[in-house]
């Protein structure tokens, strides 16, 4: 009771976002789109292609995936939040000579629970962040490269 | 070398003309020869803010048409002999002047004046292009609102594309009480988002409107109390323009309630 009051007083805990936080976040997304000057059609095509590539390796929950351009200090960041339902059997590792490109399926299977997810377990989230690398993002090599800003939280 | 500075914003009504009038006046008070140029053709009002509207005979358009000499169009300020206004035409459209013509006019002014401040119209069309064409530096004015900040960002991009890399940010109409309650973006928020160097923060102040009504820029007021925080903020911008390091005004609300103070005390550092 007292804690609740304190929380509300100091807007801690799960309190609603302030209008200041909301407007700041809206602006960051808005300006990222303005600055990148990508048409919604191109964004959509890129989203589809990235989903397609990622789906070759893992099963993604399309309804809960998020795909955002954000802006920070005049740098544009593309963030894809893709909840993983499970890992797919990859029949033949794609024929990319670069060995680094093969690392992601291994890494994924070693960190994730076995391919059959229990019905109510929360989906894991694959967060791909690419600094100013919008072109490269369409290239599967870039997505699976582990050196990618270290934000591949699984 | 004269400094040619455009005051611009994208969004209308955020305080470009207010800044131009006050910064021009404050620079003149510091002993510089200053020309303020109204580039808002068709909707001029720099003359109104300076209280010089009844003294306009010719405008930039007549100068360009060869109907008068440049000196004849310049309106001298009786209160401050270092300051002149080059008025815009009120009855013509923005297309009556071209960027090249603006360059010619301003270039002629550099022979006499050490500061030329150009008051840009809102928008990004011809009037804006005219205003930025002669400029070497820019002051981008915004308020802490989503639409103004978005437009300011667009302007920063266009300035860069036009070779004006020396751009500074003025955040106008800050309401400290609202920032304290997290209801409005703070100076830091806006500056972080636009990511160009900050040169001024002006609080929202009724004194600005009163001074507009009178046609007397705030910085002209004799008493510091009449100039208020907004007037002081404008004077600080001029000092920073001249290379001085001046700390930004503390705009935390002074006489707020006990709760707000308590809240601030307990909040993690911002
Ligand atoms: N700091 C302030 N506090 C209170 N009122 C202000 C402040 N700055 C500007 N205003 C008011 O806002 C209104 C618009 O200001 P101003 O004409 O300077 O804006 P502008 O950007 O030049 O507009 P436009 O785009 O129409 O040329 C004026 O009524 C002015 O008095
Ligand atoms: Mg104006």
């Amino acid at each position: 009771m007292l804690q609740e009051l304190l929380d509300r007083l100091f807007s801690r805990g799960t309190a609603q976002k302030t209008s200041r936080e909301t407007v700041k976040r809206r602006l960051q997304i808005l300006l990222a789109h303005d600055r990148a000057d990508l048409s919604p059609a191109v964004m959509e095509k890129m989203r589809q292609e990235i989903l397609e590539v990622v789906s070759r390796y893992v099963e993604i929950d399309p309804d809960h995936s998020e795909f955002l351009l954000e802006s920070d200090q005049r740098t544009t960041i593309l963030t894809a939040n893709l909840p993983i339902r499970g890992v797919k059997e990859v029949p033949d590792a794609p024929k990319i000579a670069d060995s680094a490109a093969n690392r992601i399926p291994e890494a994924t299977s070693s960190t994730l629970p076995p391919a059959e997810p229990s019905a109510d377990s929360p989906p894991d989230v694959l967060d791909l962040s690419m600094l100013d690398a919008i072109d490269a993002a369409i290239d599967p090599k870039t997505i699976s490269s582990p050196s990618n800003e270290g934000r591949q939280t699984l | 070398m004269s400094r040619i500075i455009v005051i611009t914003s994208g969004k209308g009504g955020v305080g470009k003309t207010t800044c131009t009038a006050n910064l021009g006046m404050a620079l003149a008070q510091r002993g510089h020869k200053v020309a303020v140029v109204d580039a808002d053709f068709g909707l001029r009002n720099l003359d109104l803010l300076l209280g010089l509207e009844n003294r306009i005979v010719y405008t930039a358009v007549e100068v360009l048409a060869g109907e008068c000499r440049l000196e004849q169009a310049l309106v001298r300020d009786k209160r401050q002999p270092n300051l002149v206004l080059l008025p815009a035409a009120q009855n013509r459209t923005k297309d009556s002047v071209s960027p090249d013509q603006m360059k010619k006019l301003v270039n002629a002014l550099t022979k006499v004046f050490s500061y030329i401040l150009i008051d840009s119209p809102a928008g990004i069309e011809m009037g804006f292009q005219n205003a930025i064409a002669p400029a070497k530096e820019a002051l981008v004015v915004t308020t802490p609102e989503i639409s103004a900040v978005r437009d300011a960002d667009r302007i920063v991009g266009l300035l860069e594309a036009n070779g004006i890399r020396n751009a500074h940010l003025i955040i106008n109409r800050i309401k400290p009480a609202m920032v304290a309650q997290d209801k409005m973006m703070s100076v830091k928020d806006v500056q972080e988002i636009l990511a160009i160097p900050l040169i001024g923060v002006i609080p929202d102040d009724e004194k600005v409107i009163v001074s507009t009504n009178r046609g007397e820029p705030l910085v002209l007021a004799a008493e510091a109390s009449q100039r208020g925080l907004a007037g002081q903020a404008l004077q600080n911008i001029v000092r920073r323009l001249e290379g001085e390091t001046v700390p930004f005004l503390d705009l935390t609300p002074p006489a707020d309630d006990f709760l707000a103070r308590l809240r601030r005390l307990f909040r993690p550092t911002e």
Side-chain angles (χ1 to χ4, degrees):
Chain A
M1 179 52 197
L2 181 67
Q3 187 57 47
E4 199 181 47
L5 184 72
L6 278 175
D7 274 352
R8 215 177 314 146
L9 265 179
F10 302 120
S11 45
R12 251 195 245 133
T14 53
Q16 252 198 334
K17 267 196 175 173
T18 63
S19 81
R20 171 186 162 201
E21 287 164 333
T22 310
V23 70
K24 201 176 166 190
R25 174 111 179 108
R26 283 178 66 204
L27 252 173
Q28 277 163 336
I29 296 170
L30 189 63
L31 293 190
H33 283 264
D34 284 356
R35 288 172 188 169
D37 201 17
L38 284 172
S39 70
V42 171
M43 271 295 284
E44 178 56 21
K45 184 156 183 283
M46 181 164 70
R47 193 181 71 89
Q48 300 261 336
E49 285 179 34
I50 289 181
L51 275 181
E52 201 182 296
V53 170
V54 178
S55 303
R56 270 185 232 150
Y57 301 93
V58 287
E59 199 182 320
I60 284 179
D61 179 357
D63 295 337
H64 295 96
S65 63
E66 229 187 1
F67 205 74
L68 283 179
L69 276 183
E70 280 179 88
S71 205
D72 186 37
Q73 292 287 314
R74 300 206 88 76
T75 307
T76 306
I77 301 169
L78 170 67
T79 312
N81 255 314
L82 310 173
I84 296 176
R85 283 212 196 106
V87 182
K88 283 187 180 170
E89 291 278 317
V90 184
D92 270 320
K95 288 194 175 86
I96 300 168
D98 185 356
S99 67
N102 292 331
R103 242 174 257 159
I104 195 118
E106 290 164 29
T108 311
S109 42
S110 62
T111 358
L112 283 178
E116 285 299 308
S118 68
D120 49 3
S121 72
D124 298 271
V125 170
L126 174 64
D127 180 342
L128 301 170
S129 295
M130 283 149 282
L131 280 172
D132 268 351
I134 291 158
D135 300 341
I138 308 174
D139 181 347
K141 271 189 251 176
T142 317
I143 290 181
S144 48
S145 159
S147 64
N148 210 321
E149 284 299 311
R151 283 196 56 194
Q152 292 197 353
T153 46
L154 279 167
Chain B
M1 264 298 272
S2 322
R3 291 177 71 178
I4 309 169
I5 308 173
V6 63
I7 291 93
T8 183
S9 71
K11 188 168 160 61
V14 297
K16 295 177 292 295
T17 306
T18 304
C19 285
T20 310
N22 280 283
L23 298 179
M25 185 62 79
L27 281 164
Q29 286 172 327
R30 289 165 71 89
H32 299 288
K33 291 210 162 301
V34 181
V36 290
V37 177
D38 195 342
D40 203 345
F41 288 83
L43 292 168
R44 75 170 182 217
N45 45 38
L46 186 53
D47 53 324
L48 299 179
L49 265 66
L50 288 165
L52 298 175
E53 68 274 17
N54 293 325
R55 304 202 16 233
I56 297 178
V57 183
Y58 299 110
T59 73
V61 171
E62 283 84 53
V63 179
L64 288 168
E67 290 163 22
C68 73
R69 283 175 292 114
L70 180 56
E71 302 89 270
Q72 291 177 293
L74 297 178
V75 182
R76 256 155 253 279
D77 194 307
K78 284 180 184 149
R79 302 157 298 191
Q80 179 40 260
N82 285 330
L83 184 73
V84 304
L85 162 74
L86 177 60
Q90 175 66 3
N91 55 353
R92 314 278 182 102
T93 65
K94 296 183 200 303
D95 304 315
S96 54
V97 180
S98 74
D100 275 341
Q101 290 177 315
M102 282 297 284
K103 277 192 199 164
K104 241 182 254 169
L105 279 176
V106 170
N107 196 33
L109 291 171
T110 59
K111 308 247 154 41
V112 179
F113 299 95
S114 50
Y115 275 91
I116 294 136
L117 304 188
I118 306 170
D119 182 21
S120 157
I124 53 172
E125 290 87 28
M126 200 56 192
F128 166 74
Q129 297 293 341
N130 283 336
I132 66 166
K136 302 277 186 289
E137 302 170 47
L139 297 176
V140 179
V141 185
T142 187
T143 60
E145 284 155 278
I146 183 164
S147 49
V149 175
R150 182 197 200 176
D151 292 357
D153 187 71
R154 187 82 196 280
I155 291 296
V156 171
L158 287 171
L159 288 170
E160 258 171 36
N162 283 276
I164 304 176
R165 283 188 186 82
N166 186 347
H168 286 86
L169 180 65
I170 295 177
I171 306 177
N172 189 19
R173 307 198 78 159
I174 286 272
K175 294 194 174 84
M178 283 186 78
V179 177
Q181 295 167 42
D182 271 342
K183 286 184 179 159
M184 190 183 224
M185 277 188 289
S186 69
V187 168
K188 188 162 160 280
D189 292 338
V190 177
Q191 201 262 332
E192 233 173 65
I193 286 171
L194 290 175
I196 62 169
L198 185 68
I199 198 167
V201 177
I202 309 169
D204 193 84
D205 194 336
E206 286 177 11
K207 292 192 180 73
V208 175
I209 297 165
V210 174
S211 88
T212 306
N213 294 345
R214 296 216 171 98
E216 282 172 17
L218 258 192
V219 298
L220 258 186
E223 302 285 325
S225 64
Q226 291 172 287
R227 297 194 289 272
L229 275 182
Q232 197 186 332
L234 285 154
Q235 287 175 318
N236 286 351
I237 294 175
V238 159
R239 290 169 63 192
R240 292 188 196 105
L241 263 182
E242 299 209 75
E244 261 182 73
T245 309
V246 187
F248 288 92
L249 294 178
D250 179 14
L251 294 180
T252 40
D256 54 10
D257 55 306
F258 169 73
L259 246 170
R261 253 178 292 159
L262 196 68
R263 208 183 280 135
R264 229 180 6 254
L265 203 66
F266 279 84
R267 198 180 297 148
T269 48
E270 278 177 89

